[in-house]
Amino acid sequence: MTASSSALYIGDVTHRRLRPRPHRLRYSIFYLLLDLDEVDVLAGRLRIFSHNRFNLFSFFDRDYGDGSAASPREKIEEHLRAAGIETGGPIRLLTMPRILGYAFNPLSVYFCHRQDGSLCALFYEVSNTFGQRHSYLIPVPAGATAPIRQESRKSFYVSPFISTDMAYSFAITPPGERVAVYVAGHDEQGPLITARLAGRRQGLTDAALARLFITYPLLTLKVIIGIHWEALRLWLKGVRLFDRPPPPDRPVTLGHGVEPSRHPERKSGPPQVRPL
């Protein structure tokens, strides 16, 4: 691996709710793409980025998966093996780092590769504001081209304004010069919500990180504040609240790919998938 496998992606996140009250938001944001085999190398090369210790920017293993001190790569490979998916290739994580010791990631995406370098699976790790975390693991067939389209039944309570009785559709452009993550939520009535992360690649250097800290100060804190602000706006609009169910029995839900001709934004019925 080379240091160029890891990078910064600078762009924006948009959310749109279609009903019963239309609601839209857009925020400028940046993400790290971290090759999990390079994290210690990056921490040694960069002055303002550290692994498992405080810095202006930092990456802590316990912020991911089951919250243990095990490496994220070990955690992901365990789930890949349980699903019968080939392991051993690069695993690259798209996530927000800790900034001055604080991070909250509503969604982190792991791009998992076969030993030959081809993409074998996408692993979507979702956190809610109640301190809970759940993931969706979806295999990628050999030879798949972007955008990669996938589906999964929703298994995890994220927002008090959205029921778990629905399904997700994904359309993913893996990291290159650009990255894009599109998620649509559908219930029995059809499309309900959409979310999109899009960013352009930039080299991961101290200078670039310092500029981002000035441009997006305390970004991760603003994320959690923004989530509660948007929740207040939805409540004021009179959007229905849903009770929080118990978390899923298992930490990972297994989804599936879809044919390239099908479009996630047009998918209405929840697919049948099984938990892992």
Side-chain angles (χ1 to χ4, degrees):
M1 298 299 170
T2 65
S4 62
S5 297
S6 300
L8 292 164
Y9 282 89
I10 303 169
D12 54 49
V13 170
T14 58
H15 287 250
R16 184 184 177 199
R17 185 182 181 116
L18 305 177
R19 53 182 167 80
R21 301 285 188 274
H23 188 78
R24 184 180 177 90
L25 64 91
R26 179 176 179 177
Y27 292 108
S28 297
I29 204 166
F30 73 87
Y31 271 70
L32 287 180
L33 179 72
L34 294 175
D35 187 312
L36 296 182
D37 292 330
E38 295 179 353
V39 175
D40 286 327
V41 173
L42 291 169
R45 175 170 64 84
L46 300 171
R47 295 183 178 181
I48 59 175
F49 172 83
S50 294
H51 183 203
N52 287 332
R53 66 181 182 85
F54 180 85
N55 204 331
L56 189 62
F57 297 90
S58 53
F59 177 79
F60 278 71
D61 296 340
R62 66 175 182 266
D63 291 339
Y64 300 90
D66 59 6
S68 71
S71 76
R73 183 180 183 96
E74 292 175 1
K75 298 171 188 176
I76 296 301
E77 286 195 326
E78 181 180 350
H79 294 304
L80 292 173
R81 286 192 294 268
I85 299 172
E86 178 184 341
T87 64
I91 299 177
R92 295 174 183 136
L93 169 61
L94 188 68
T95 191
M96 285 184 290
R98 288 196 186 197
I99 300 177
L100 291 176
Y102 180 79
F104 177 74
N105 273 287
L107 174 66
S108 295
V109 183
Y110 298 79
F111 296 84
C112 308
H113 298 78
R114 300 178 181 88
Q115 293 184 27
D116 65 5
S118 62
L119 195 65
C120 67
L122 290 169
F123 191 91
Y124 305 89
E125 188 171 87
V126 181
S127 298
N128 64 24
T129 56
F130 306 101
Q132 300 171 325
R133 187 175 297 137
H134 187 76
S135 298
Y136 300 87
L137 172 58
I138 309 181
V140 176
T145 57
I148 297 167
R149 301 186 185 277
Q150 301 178 314
E151 296 176 338
S152 177
R153 177 176 294 279
K154 182 181 180 183
S155 304
F156 181 57
Y157 182 87
V158 177
S159 166
F161 300 97
I162 301 176
S163 168
T164 55
D165 188 18
M166 58 184 295
Y168 290 131
S169 297
F170 305 90
I172 310 298
T173 300
E177 286 304 309
R178 293 180 178 273
V179 67
V181 178
Y182 173 87
V183 185
H186 316 263
D187 60 16
E188 293 181 351
Q189 299 178 49
L192 175 63
I193 57 169
T194 64
R196 185 173 185 268
L197 160 67
R200 181 185 291 273
R201 186 183 182 100
Q202 184 173 326
L204 179 51
T205 65
D206 278 318
L209 287 171
R211 285 193 298 269
L212 289 173
F213 182 76
I214 294 170
T215 306
Y216 306 97
L218 302 179
L219 173 65
T220 51
L221 182 61
K222 289 181 178 180
V223 168
I224 193 69
I225 293 172
I227 288 172
H228 287 93
W229 168 245
E230 298 300 336
L232 176 61
R233 292 179 61 198
L234 286 169
W235 181 74
L236 291 173
K237 287 182 177 182
V239 178
R240 175 188 172 188
L241 294 171
F242 291 87
D243 292 333
R244 175 159 57 103
D249 293 334
R250 299 183 180 182
V252 178
T253 294
L254 184 64
H256 60 83
V258 300
E259 294 298 324
S261 60
R262 294 171 63 190
H263 300 282
E265 62 271 22
R266 298 176 184 172
K267 175 71 176 173
S268 58
Q272 299 297 318
V273 296
R274 62 180 178 86
L276 176 65

